[in-house]
Amino acid sequence: MEKGILRQMIEVDCALAATYLIGRWAVQCAYVERGYLAVGSEWLLVMLVFWGTYKALRTVFGRIGQE
């Protein structure tokens, strides 16, 4: 049980780290392009990065656990 919680915490932390880095980059690029802060499609990119990273890590950790 504890191993599963630790694995999930690592997956979420890694996904959040990747999301943070891509999010900072995407928001800054959008600001440079627009010249002002606004909410746009860069936030869709941020959500997709989190989801994709989390799913990829679940797949990798799932395969490691099966070996």
Side-chain angles (χ1 to χ4, degrees):
M1 182 71 171
E2 185 178 312
K3 202 174 200 181
I5 292 172
L6 180 61
R7 180 182 296 173
Q8 193 168 21
M9 286 176 56
I10 291 170
E11 291 166 354
V12 170
D13 287 345
C14 289
L16 285 174
T19 302
Y20 174 76
L21 294 173
I22 294 295
R24 284 192 56 147
W25 172 79
V27 170
Q28 182 63 29
C29 284
Y31 176 75
V32 168
E33 182 72 26
R34 291 184 193 116
Y36 58 90
L37 286 176
V39 176
S41 60
E42 67 273 10
W43 292 103
L44 177 62
L45 174 66
V46 168
M47 290 184 284
L48 289 174
V49 165
F50 177 81
W51 179 78
T53 305
Y54 181 73
K55 291 301 255 185
L57 289 170
R58 299 263 318 159
T59 301
V60 168
F61 278 127
R63 290 185 181 164
I64 291 171
Q66 291 175 354
E67 292 177 358

